[in-house]
Amino acid sequence: MADDKKSKHRHRSIVFESMYPVLALMLILVACVELCDAATVVDVYRLIQYDISGVPFGSRFSSLNHHAASLSFQRGADLSRSVLILPLRELDIGFVQDYISQKQSLGGLLILLPQTFRPGNVGGGSVISETEGFRKLLAQLEKLLIHGNIPFPVYFAFENEETDAMLADVKKNDALGQQATATTGGYKLVISVSEPRKIASPTITNIQGWLPGSRADGDSNQLPTIAVVASYDTFGAAPALSVGSDSNGSGVVALLEVARLFSVLYSNPKTRGRYNILFALTSGGPYNYEGTQKWLKSLDQRMRESIDYAICLNSVGSWDNELLVHVSKPPDNAYIKQIFEGFSNVAEDLGFQVALKHKKINISNSRVAWEHEQFSRLRVTAATLSELSTPPELLESAGSLSDTRQLVSEDSIIKGVKLVAESLARHIYGHQGKDVKIFADDSSLAVNPFYVRSWLDLLSQTPRVAPFLSKNEPLIMALKKELEDYTAEVSVQHESLDGTFTFYDSTKASLNIYQVASVTFDLLLLLVLGSYLIVLFSFLVITTRGLDDLISLFRRPPSRKVKMA
Amino acid sequence: MTLFHFFNCAILTFGPHAVYYSATPLSEYDTLGTSVKAAVVYLATALVKLVCLATFLQVSETEVFDPYQEALKAMIGFIDVAGLYFALAQLTHRNISQNHKFQAVGLGWAFADSVLHRLAPLWVGARGLEFTWDYVLQGLEANANLVFTISLAALGSLMWLRKNKPKSLIPIIYTCAMIIATMPSIISYLRRVMGWHFPKVVGFELVTSLVMAVISCQLFVLCQRPSS
């Protein structure tokens, strides 16, 4: 029975298939609809487009419809109607710099990145040393593109067989001096997207988790609080690729793991400490830690004053031997001394070093290089743990294209987690200076490397540029849920991003690659076909009616004229 | 310039039919009516063929050459011959010599076939930005098909309409007609089993169509001699 049914079904599908000519006829009627039938479609990611106080930066255009060109054309050729394909492997940074600084016109720029930089690409790819070179080059290129005002569309794509084949073909033609134009044919790259629009009111979302300490008597608000903070959003040349595994995915992972460890400790009344712990995942990190500032200001005055100190985690995923504690109060300050000593004692036991680095804050300067400076401005003691030795510039070290999963080692993060958790625990339980291991490797309180890895992998696949995240973004929901699991009270705060930054949408598109014939070819084909038809006509006339008929066909008009006359 | 390409391919696909009509005496004797009738018969035949294909044929998920299925397909292909027979022998045509009748029928038949099978893919595909040789080749295939159809019509008119043909030629006529009628199966065989690519297949079709045209032309001339 079932078989019978099946065959019936088959027959029906045959009927449909064989109705093709009829359907095709119908299709002619509907053929006004433009059909997209590109041979190759490639995912491309647009360079970010943004304004700072009205000054435009980044790629100012998005749609693309030009022929492809490579760098092997003769220098000085007019490229205003071609898309230049630049593989990172052969990138000449000086050339790009010249092009941008001289404001030369270009139809578009397509930068091909090695597959190693694809977010979520965990291992493999090319040799590490080779990748290291690319990383530096990519960082340079990114800096150039982010801070330039580029009057043509710039896209990033990842190398694959199709793009490689196209590039090889384009290069071959360019080397022959046949630049791709309408008259010579070649490859046409088409990205049809609408004009980029301003993102109306970008929001930044802070997530806060509250782990209350135990009080002997009285209100828990009387207890001192320790804050652990990490900013989770990113900023990079391509918003759709900006995953920031190290900056600041590693900090977020470390924070979650610390929260998990302390939730275990605090779930038992016997081991619940006499400190409240406040965990905060802040947004707006690349923009002078705007989210941190807004979050701090929104905190209850009493709560803010109860904060004993705050530890900010920033880029803790790729260091070997030394981690830096950045502070803005002078190192001889009693609180700073206490924090630093706590860290250095633990670090010594764990077998690495921490160093103190002091940078004064300049209130008149709007630039906030470290997250703890936002705390310091509100007179809360705070320090940033980071592997970076120099304060990053605005929009830098915030999740660039080269900041991928491969760069980050889980071991570094685990060491960082141990450092933070252990020193916090010693502070909370009053074991300063003693060699006690609360989070020993084999105990039930050990750092879980699988947890660290899974979160790191997730964050390394999720672009997190704040203006492009909606309020209910899955990632934000996931982070919130995670904190809900580990803390008693979670609140999510939505704030609008300050007006100085304006962002534009269309970060992702599909590139259609067409192999096109030239107009010359079409003309030639028309000529050939025309002569074929003429020859056919003459042949048929001669064979069926004879040569005289053919000749008389051409003679007739003048004879008519004679008659007319 | 894609509309241009479409235009080119359309010229190649449908031009020869028009040229054939206007260049040969068909246009002088105004045989358009016959051609239109043949086209209508073609449409009806195509419909019958579709129904037969749908009822008797299995859909093969893979592009495998199944001899039984192909034989069945060839059998169904002979419906074409039946249709052609109907158009040539059963339908009444006014004021038309046998000589022109088969040409007009073949022309109408081939034109309807081209319109039905090639116009839609052409319109959809050749206007795209992407350039392929496929539509030019398809146009060439239409040319070969025109020659095949007219040859088959010529042989058909010899088989069914001419009474006093030389006995010795009869087997040759039937063999040639068989070969032309089984052409779709032969091509399908070449494509699937031999793995020939489209350009090669089209080249083969063009060559065989010319050969068949020459043979049927000779046969036609040979058959005409004794009667005259």
Side-chain angles (χ1 to χ4, degrees), chain A residues 202-278:
Chain A
T203 53
I204 46 182
T205 307
N206 301 313
I207 310 160
Q208 163 200 321
W210 174 253
L211 198 58
S214 83
R215 55 212 139 111
D217 38 33
D219 190 7
S220 73
N221 283 342
Q222 302 303 320
L223 289 176
T225 304
I226 297 173
V228 181
V229 187
S231 124
Y232 69 88
D233 71 328
T234 56
F235 182 91
L241 294 176
S242 176
V243 294
S245 297
D246 195 8
S247 327
N248 187 21
S250 60
V252 174
V253 174
L255 181 138
L256 290 175
E257 178 65 4
V258 170
R260 190 185 70 83
L261 292 173
F262 275 94
S263 79
V264 177
L265 272 177
Y266 272 53
S267 61
N268 186 341
K270 279 183 196 162
T271 53
R272 192 188 276 190
R274 302 205 169 274
Y275 280 86
N276 305 316
I277 308 180
L278 183 59

Side-chain angles (χ1 to χ4, degrees), chain B residues 157-170:
Chain B
S157 80
L158 283 184
M159 284 190 289
W160 302 314
L161 302 179
R162 197 171 293 278
K163 299 288 179 262
N164 52 345
K165 51 203 168 217
K167 283 263 164 19
S168 59
L169 288 180
I170 292 174

Side-chain angles (χ1 to χ4, degrees), chain A residues 7 10-11 13-15 17-22 24-25 27-28 31-35 37-40 65 188 190 513-517 519 521-523 525-526 529 532-533 536-537 540-541 544-545 549, chain B residues 1-2 4-5 7-9 11-12 15-16 19-25 27-28 47 50 53-59 61 103 115-117 119-121 123-125 127-133 136 143:
Chain A
S7 66
R10 271 190 182 169
H11 284 315
S13 70
I14 275 188
V15 173
E17 264 193 18
S18 36
M19 288 297 258
Y20 177 64
V22 183
L25 266 175
L27 237 160
I28 297 172
C32 302
V33 186
E34 204 55 46
L35 284 144
D37 59 336
T40 317
N65 188 352
K188 197 158 201 187
V190 179
I513 303 175
Y514 299 99
Q515 194 166 13
V516 292
V519 181
F521 172 83
D522 276 337
L523 273 172
L525 188 63
L526 182 68
L529 293 178
Y532 163 65
L533 289 187
L536 187 68
F537 184 84
L540 287 172
V541 170
T544 53
R545 303 191 218 168
D549 256 34
Chain B
M1 274 306 152
T2 51
F4 196 174
H5 187 64
F7 182 63
N8 277 341
C9 291
I11 286 182
L12 184 58
V19 166
Y20 193 95
Y21 182 77
S22 56
T24 50
S27 50
E28 277 174 24
L47 211 65
L50 287 182
L53 280 172
T55 10
F56 297 121
L57 222 60
Q58 302 274 318
V59 175
E61 273 82 21
Q103 289 182 45
V115 167
L116 218 55
H117 283 104
L119 185 61
W123 180 255
V124 172
R127 287 187 322 145
L129 263 177
E130 175 83 12
F131 171 78
T132 58
W133 284 99
V136 178
N143 285 316

Side-chain angles (χ1 to χ4, degrees), chain A residues 385-402:
Chain A
L385 266 184
S386 173
E387 78 217 2
L388 305 172
S389 56
T390 49
E393 294 294 313
L394 181 66
L395 303 179
E396 263 167 41
S397 297
S400 73
L401 285 174
S402 55

Side-chain angles (χ1 to χ4, degrees), chain A residues 43-47 118 154-158 238-241 507-509:
Chain A
D43 278 337
V44 288
Y45 309 92
R46 196 164 79 94
L47 176 67
R118 186 183 280 280
V154 180
Y155 281 95
F156 295 93
F158 292 101
L241 294 176
T507 59
K508 229 173 154 181

